[in-house]
Amino acid sequence: MSLLEVRDLTVTTADQRRLLNGVSWEVDAGERLGVIGESGSGKSLTALAILGLLPEGLRATGRVRLGERELLGAPDRALRSVRGARIAMVFQEPLTALDPLMRVGHQLAGPLRLHRGLSRSAARSQARDLLTMAGLDETERVLRSFPWQLSGGQRQRVGIALALACEPEVLLADEPTTALDVTVQAKILELLHDLVEQTNTALVFISHDLPVVARLTEQLVVMRGGQVLEHTTVSRAMDSPGHAYTAELIDSARAVTDLGAAAPQAWQGEPDA
Ligand SMILES: Nc1ncnc2c1ncn2[C@@H]1O[C@H](COP(=O)(O)OP(=O)(O)OP(=O)(O)O)[C@@H](O)[C@H]1O
């Protein structure tokens, strides 16, 4: 039985428009799954539905199972104890998760005290360790900083440290590097790759950018129009795409890689980030 299973997930508007239509995939501990698709294909809604954070007016049906637990339709209280603790999220803009008016140290200590019951000083020291793990130097300065005093790359590292604070079983990352410049992007991808590998966390990495996904994940879900077109592996998709749209994505990404804008190892199957 896989760790996180999404089965026939359908999201409808109040006027019965289907924004997601029967989305199914699963991911196991230690696996890295890329969810790829053009803008509006339903990637973010899938993540929000999993977390029970759909915008007002949208309704989800189907199943979202984490371990033994059914999340879809679970009471808010139960979902709050799962979010952050068992499934965590990294956003495109880390300020979505970070409070701009609260020092980084306080923000990291909050979930550690709430979900893991650490004392104030233990939480502070754990927060420092998390920042080091996320590749940040000068951890004391970062702990005392407000998010706006940090660079975009540093902020995203803090966002990752925050997401991993409670050692979640699943990390959902929605375009976490899109807002960063290319060199910082590569470092953040490498960090995510190493951290989920070390901690055996399942990673669901959402992106519109196939070379980025190919670099990081081995499983691939291709979405369009609120549906899953295929669930394959990155290397199988490269060799024999199962859908014309996947082939199109690969062709256009190859055109970009030929121009040197993506890392060559992106196309060697097993990632090496
Ligand atoms: N609250 C809402 N009410 C109505 N339609 C919505 C709502 N939120 C999203 N949608 C629609 O649902 C579809 C899927 O949106 P979603 O944000 O999941 O796409 P996405 O694949 O993540 O795109 P992007 O890469 O641009 O973030 C889009 O057509 C979007 O306009």
Side-chain angles (χ1 to χ4, degrees):
M1 188 171 78
S2 51
L3 175 63
L4 175 67
E5 184 188 21
V6 176
R7 201 51 61 217
D8 282 329
L9 181 64
T10 295
V11 169
T12 17
T13 58
D15 60 1
Q16 301 306 316
R17 257 184 325 121
R18 286 189 173 200
L19 302 178
L20 289 188
N21 195 356
V23 169
S24 295
W25 47 255
E26 63 280 317
V27 66
D28 220 337
E31 279 183 356
R32 296 185 299 270
L33 170 79
V35 178
I36 183 107
E38 64 204 6
S39 179
S41 56
K43 307 180 299 292
S44 298
L45 281 183
T46 305
L48 293 174
I50 291 170
L51 292 161
L53 292 174
L54 282 175
E56 284 264 319
L58 301 186
R59 199 172 76 90
T61 57
R63 297 190 58 194
V64 175
R65 180 187 53 73
L66 174 66
E68 297 295 329
R69 196 154 189 183
E70 180 55 46
L71 300 185
L72 212 63
D76 246 20
R77 239 185 95 133
L79 286 177
R80 270 200 300 271
S81 74
V82 167
R83 279 197 297 265
R86 296 189 62 193
I87 302 189
M89 180 104 184
V90 180
F91 298 89
Q92 175 175 338
E93 172 43 72
L95 286 176
T96 308
L98 296 172
D99 183 338
L101 301 177
M102 200 193 273
R103 291 182 200 276
V104 166
H106 272 99
Q107 304 202 44
L108 284 172
L112 292 168
R113 300 195 67 195
L114 177 74
H115 292 298
R116 291 177 56 193
L118 297 187
S119 69
R120 192 182 296 263
S121 64
R124 181 88 181 170
S125 124
Q126 180 70 25
R128 200 178 301 114
D129 291 350
L130 282 164
L131 292 180
T132 306
M133 181 186 83
L136 285 157
D137 306 320
E138 297 184 275
T139 50
E140 273 309 320
R141 184 183 69 79
V142 177
L143 284 173
R144 282 196 309 272
S145 301
F146 292 101
W148 51 266
Q149 293 174 311
L150 304 171
S151 70
Q154 287 174 324
R155 268 207 296 271
Q156 195 52 293
R157 286 177 190 273
V158 171
I160 291 168
L162 183 65
L164 292 176
C166 292
E167 300 172 5
E169 294 152 77
V170 180
L171 185 65
L172 296 179
D174 191 355
E175 307 267 10
T177 60
T178 309
L180 303 170
D181 72 50
V182 175
T183 39
V184 181
Q185 185 179 70
K187 287 183 183 144
I188 297 284
L189 291 175
E190 192 179 328
L191 173 72
L192 273 175
H193 175 276
D194 292 351
L195 290 181
V196 295
E197 193 162 74
Q198 281 158 24
T199 51
N200 209 32
T201 309
L203 175 70
V204 180
F205 188 90
I206 294 171
S207 177
H208 66 279
D209 190 339
L210 186 58
V212 166
V213 169
R215 208 165 163 196
L216 190 64
T217 74
E218 62 276 338
Q219 300 283 324
L220 186 67
V221 162
V222 183
M223 288 190 75
R224 191 170 62 174
Q227 288 183 300
V228 171
L229 298 184
E230 65 172 317
H231 184 171
T232 179
T233 64
V234 168
S235 45
R236 214 178 314 134
M238 302 295 167
D239 294 343
S240 54
H243 197 283
Y245 178 66
T246 312
E248 248 176 66
L249 284 178
I250 288 169
D251 285 347
S252 51
R254 280 207 165 111
V256 177
T257 43
D258 286 343
L259 293 173
Q265 68 262 37
W267 306 109
Q268 289 172 7
E270 193 52 35
D272 183 25

